Amino acid sequence: MMKPTRGQKSKNSPVGSQCVLVLQGPNLNMLGSREPEIYGHTTLADIHRAMENRAKALGVRLESYQSNHEGELVDRIQSALAEDVTFIIINPGAYSHTSIAIPDALKAVRIPYIEVHLSNIHARESFRHHSHFSAGAMGVVCGLGAQGYLLALEAILDRLRPARP
Ligand code: CA2
């Protein structure tokens, strides 16, 4: 039998033992207080609360982490290995367009991730059109505001549900 790769637990793993890590990049701590015309009025705490409620209802653990520093995000991804994180949801913020170290860490730990952007990066300045995270992502959600995080979580929860006999 093939061993499941990291992040893809065997069909027999109980849903309740699984953990989703939500990573937020630089400046996203200001969400809801600045530039609401681009990023909306919802705060990071609101987003995490809504995600936590949804995950809890299905017995899935959710961990959230925001940092303004590239190395700290790399460290957090590396720590996820020891914590048996099953999936990652990440909005890398401006690091989407500049970082090699963070996507390298995601590749190294082999934990599947979904990339989320509040705004439609393709409808903005050309330097935002390319993300170093997209090619390695399970999926990308962009332009749907705070709802994007919940949609990403829903896709993950769907994949965690035990297969029907
Ligand atoms: O649309 C997104 O989610 C972005 O990842 C947000 C980044 C931006 O650099 C990316 O191109 C697209 C910026 C995050 C800044 O967040 C703020 C939130 C509130 C007020 C000011 C900045």
Side-chain angles (χ1 to χ4, degrees), residues 26-28 30-35 39 91-97 116-121 124 128 149:
N27 296 312
L28 286 161
M30 294 196 290
L31 217 56
S33 65
R34 299 268 188 283
E35 299 187 84
Y39 301 115
N91 182 346
Y95 286 142
S96 313
H97 322 297
V116 173
H117 297 283
L118 294 150
S119 62
N120 179 356
I121 55 175
R124 299 183 64 189
R128 294 187 204 272
Y149 291 96

